[in-house]
Amino acid sequence: MVGWAVGRLALVTGAGSGIGRAACQVLSREGATVIAADRNYDAALETIKTHTALASGSNDVGEHCAIELDVADSKSVQNLVQTLSKQYRVPPRIIVNSAGITRDNWMLKLSEEDYESVLNVNLKGTFLIMQTFAKAMAEAKVSGSIVNISSIVGKYGNIGQTNYSASKAGVVAMTQTAAKELGKFNIRVNVVLPGFIDTPMVKTVPDKVKESLLKMVPLGRLGTPNEVAELIMFLASDKSSFINGASIDVTGGY
């Protein structure tokens, strides 16, 4: 494989489906060695076998692998960085924080448990991965690119998603702060705000709601995970070497 990412490790969370899976595919296309991480190991393994350039999950350097990971659990994240250190001896230089969940309900009916679970995965999980792997890159004195996945809902809000919108707004603010702090280590941090993308998460939206949402999209359709992944690939590459702390919408004009 000849591409700009040859020789670089790429860690993608939420790699078992949707945008995370598409990110694995485009990064592997560019030559990166992809570490597909997800709470659902079987889904991550399917990503490696079906959607990446190599179909191997072996431990040899230069080959993709699937990892079971709970981003909201600091022990799980620490175990991951230790495992990758032993396996590859260099830290991932590309980090894509795509793990996310929804627990939708009207604000007046939203349980504290559902509020906390969404904030734990979407916001705390992004923080833990950023902190842990930025530290590893800084200690190894290698440059890197972190791409966080927020949502257009984090900018404008959405009915039934007080927890989700709060978590995704937090990811934007956290990205901008991290970019200021990590720039001195030559680690860039940017955030992508997808609109309504054809993912398993959007498939749970009732058809009538989806139809009304599409009326607000000038292009008149859902986006595809690959369209978001192509932007992630650009932000991860040296072609975006002076882009840091940016928030970029991928919404079809919503």
Side-chain angles (χ1 to χ4, degrees), residues 2 12-13 20 42 53 60 88 111 126 136 142 149 152 179 183 209 229 241:
V2 177
V12 181
T13 71
D42 290 338
D60 294 335
Y88 296 105
S111 69
T126 298
V142 296
I149 309 302
I152 199 64
V209 176
S241 55

Side-chain angles (χ1 to χ4, degrees), residues 159-177:
I159 291 174
Q161 292 192 312
T162 48
N163 49 359
Y164 185 75
S165 60
S167 71
K168 291 302 187 177
V171 168
V172 173
M174 191 164 60
T175 296
Q176 293 167 339
T177 300

Side-chain angles (χ1 to χ4, degrees), residues 6 41 75 82 105 111 113 125 132 152 167 182 191 202:
V6 170
Y41 173 77
K75 290 183 180 179
Q82 291 169 12
N105 209 334
S111 69
E113 181 182 0
T132 301
I152 199 64
S167 71
L182 298 178
V191 60
V202 168

Side-chain angles (χ1 to χ4, degrees), residues 55-67:
S56 172
S58 78
N59 291 333
D60 294 335
V61 172
E63 295 185 351
H64 309 307
C65 71
I67 297 279

